[in-house]
Amino acid sequence: MANFIFIAGYVVIGLLLQRSRQFPQNTGQILNAYVIYVALPAVVLQKIPSLTFGKELLYPALMPWLLLAVTVPVLLGLSKWLNWSRMTTGAMLIVVPLGNTSFVGFPMVEAFFGPEGIPYALLYDQLGSFFILSIYATIIAAIYSHEPGTEAKRPSAGAIALRIAKFPPFVALVIALLMRGIEYPEVMSQFIDSLAITLVPVIMVAVGFQLKFRLPQEDRGPLYWALGLKLIATPVIAFAVLYGFGLEQLAVQVTIMEAAMPAMISAGALAIMAGLAPTLSAAIVGYGVLLCFITLPLWYAFIQFLLP
């Protein structure tokens, strides 16, 4: 459970730096840029080559994609109904469908289910969350963001393809897939590990730096919707889909818990970096992490109560 103390500590550091005159207002954006261009590609290069595409259980591998297919139309419908801005819609489409299935997910799964649950969490994270972040979230960021000083208009298909091709995590994903079955030299592996380990501290400090407890009025409604969808609705969907397969299966239990994780901090960083409602994106991540210490134990207790 030490990881949760670390998370809280990183957020507090960010909050303290926010109140210090020694750090400029764009410090959070600079930290996010480091994550997108350095730390996140390092994590992709670290994890993806170790994937084994064998006869693995499909529950954790397919559930993230199913939840993506369900949440996107819901978010687009809410955007039209509630008249969200283009920036808010883009941020919600990136942050809400993606869960923090690794840094929060792994230790939570181990805390609830022991080491036996980790392989299923890895499957959920590596075949779901990271691929969705690298591909889907990149496309959404390209469509909804725009270059500073230009009109916010939908880019052409060629422009979207170019942004995807130049997006560092996507480039790292292509390289990592090509490197499957090939071991990195020891020095390179250690170098990648040393960069990857900086991902969570830097992101959470950035989240803390940009976290505003007094949100603008226009961000409060989307925040409530995002937290409700992420912490309540998506695990309800996962539970409804998997209930018939038998809750006694560890793979089913872990998949439901992974679906209940708060918003992915890397997705929040991507939305912020793209200029998509930075305050809202940081709030969804920050408040989600805080609230999951309440919601995840409740979901675990609910699953255990229903077990035969």
Side-chain angles (χ1 to χ4, degrees), residues 245-263:
F245 292 96
L247 290 179
E248 70 279 358
Q249 295 188 65
L250 182 58
V252 171
Q253 297 179 42
V254 172
T255 300
I256 295 171
M257 292 299 291
E258 283 285 75
M261 294 299 161

Side-chain angles (χ1 to χ4, degrees), residues 86-102:
R86 181 179 177 82
M87 297 294 102
T88 296
T89 302
M92 296 285 281
L93 286 172
I94 290 175
V95 179
V96 174
L98 287 160
N100 192 333
T101 53
S102 55

Side-chain angles (χ1 to χ4, degrees), residues 71-91:
T71 55
V72 167
V74 170
L75 289 169
L76 291 174
L78 287 172
S79 174
K80 186 176 181 179
W81 176 42
L82 300 172
N83 197 28
W84 290 339
S85 70
R86 181 179 177 82
M87 297 294 102
T88 296
T89 302

Side-chain angles (χ1 to χ4, degrees), residues 19-91:
R19 288 159 175 74
S20 172
R21 296 182 179 180
Q22 303 300 316
F23 294 85
Q25 292 298 313
N26 66 340
T27 296
Q29 296 176 358
I30 294 172
L31 294 176
N32 287 322
Y34 167 82
V35 168
I36 296 298
Y37 284 89
V38 179
L40 184 54
V43 172
V44 173
L45 290 171
Q46 179 191 56
K47 288 191 173 186
I48 296 301
S50 62
L51 284 178
T52 54
F53 296 93
K55 268 195 168 182
E56 302 288 351
L57 289 173
L58 294 179
Y59 309 138
L62 296 181
M63 184 55 65
W65 298 94
L66 173 63
L67 293 176
L68 177 69
V70 172
T71 55
V72 167
V74 170
L75 289 169
L76 291 174
L78 287 172
S79 174
K80 186 176 181 179
W81 176 42
L82 300 172
N83 197 28
W84 290 339
S85 70
R86 181 179 177 82
M87 297 294 102
T88 296
T89 302

Side-chain angles (χ1 to χ4, degrees), residues 64-174:
W65 298 94
L66 173 63
L67 293 176
L68 177 69
V70 172
T71 55
V72 167
V74 170
L75 289 169
L76 291 174
L78 287 172
S79 174
K80 186 176 181 179
W81 176 42
L82 300 172
N83 197 28
W84 290 339
S85 70
R86 181 179 177 82
M87 297 294 102
T88 296
T89 302
M92 296 285 281
L93 286 172
I94 290 175
V95 179
V96 174
L98 287 160
N100 192 333
T101 53
S102 55
F103 191 76
V104 173
F106 294 165
M108 274 291 191
V109 166
E110 185 168 6
F112 289 129
F113 303 106
E116 297 82 8
I118 294 298
Y120 305 112
L122 281 168
L123 198 61
Y124 192 108
D125 180 68
Q126 295 188 11
L127 291 184
S129 301
F130 265 102
F131 275 108
I132 293 172
L133 176 69
S134 299
I135 301 173
Y136 159 80
T138 305
I139 295 173
I140 296 299
I143 292 174
Y144 282 86
S145 64
H146 63 283
E147 297 298 327
T150 63
E151 295 183 1
K153 59 181 181 180
R154 189 180 300 274
S156 65
I160 293 175
L162 182 60
R163 291 188 188 184
I164 294 173
K166 293 169 60 178
F167 184 57
F170 185 80
V171 174
L173 175 63
V174 174

